[in-house]
Amino acid sequence: GAVVSQHPSRVICKSGTSVKIECRSLDFQATTMFWYRQFPKQSLMLMATSNEGSKATYEQGVEKDKFLINHASLTLSTLTVTSAHPEDSSFYICSARVDSGGHQETQYFGPGTRLLVL
Amino acid sequence: GIQVEQSPPDLILQEGANSTLRCNFSDSVNNLQWFHQNPWGQLINLFYIPSGTKQNGRLSATTVATERYSLLYISSSQTTDSGVYFCALTYNYNNNDMRFGAGTRLTVKP
């Protein structure tokens, strides 16, 4: 159980275009989903937290108008990189968590989406 | 500030050897997880271990919350254990902010 999928797994786009990445929890309902970015040989950095039906909370330094997040249902969150530029090329990973009312809950991570902007 | 420190940064082992990876943190945690990131980038959830000891096959983990560290033990290492091991945690005051350590890059040679 606790499987999170991402689509697409890899995308190459031209500079200036927008790219949408989907994150789905396949066998559970995720109250909260998270988006991370990982540059080569670096650790994961949290970009934003999204709760179903409400606006995402962005980390300091992450442009909310550039990285649009929509958490439309308890099983789907999308990240849209708008007007992508080469410096946006990175590995984007989502995770999902079931909020059971306690404070100790596991996050389950998707397989990641590798974005290359030419 | 918030600190998640992993050591060593790099580790090279011969197949069959044992190893210990360490994660130090700077405040009370409510969630601590160990992950293995494979060469394709997938994060494999190894342990959810905010406290105590757990074992799963050749892997085990111990978190001593009062002393603010966690250890991941790998015994009889195999080449498939190669990859990056991350410690990630959330602190009590912000359950949404999962912080990752810099990782330990493990290479197991045949």
Side-chain angles (χ1 to χ4, degrees), chain A residues 32 34 36 38 41-44 46 49 51 59 91 93 97 99 102-112 114, chain B residues 29-31 33 35 37 39-43 45 48 50-51 86 90 92 95-103 105:
Chain A
T32 308
F34 305 86
Y36 295 82
Q38 185 181 30
K41 297 193 183 300
Q42 293 189 22
S43 189
L44 280 75
L46 179 66
T49 302
N51 291 288
E59 293 299 300
F91 191 52
I93 307 174
R97 185 183 73 193
D99 292 332
H103 292 288
Q104 298 185 343
E105 292 127 350
T106 304
Q107 284 192 31
Y108 299 95
F109 284 77
R114 208 165 292 278
Chain B
V29 299
N30 62 42
N31 178 355
Q33 294 179 237
F35 296 94
Q37 189 170 39
W40 298 272
Q42 171 77 63
L43 281 169
N45 198 337
Y48 169 79
S51 63
F86 288 107
T90 59
N92 283 344
N95 196 37
N96 282 341
D97 189 0
M98 176 166 267
R99 297 298 178 108
F100 279 74
R105 185 172 298 275

Side-chain angles (χ1 to χ4, degrees), chain B residues 41-93:
Chain B
Q42 171 77 63
L43 281 169
I44 311 297
N45 198 337
L46 299 177
F47 293 103
Y48 169 79
I49 189 163
S51 63
T53 297
K54 291 185 178 179
Q55 180 156 6
N56 184 2
R58 295 182 297 104
L59 302 181
S60 64
T62 295
T63 297
V64 184
T66 53
E67 297 186 23
R68 298 184 179 166
Y69 71 88
S70 183
L71 302 175
L72 177 69
Y73 305 96
I74 304 174
S75 64
S76 304
S77 58
Q78 301 175 357
T79 56
T80 51
D81 294 333
S82 296
V84 183
Y85 289 81
F86 288 107
C87 163
L89 52 86
T90 59
Y91 287 101
N92 283 344
Y93 53 81

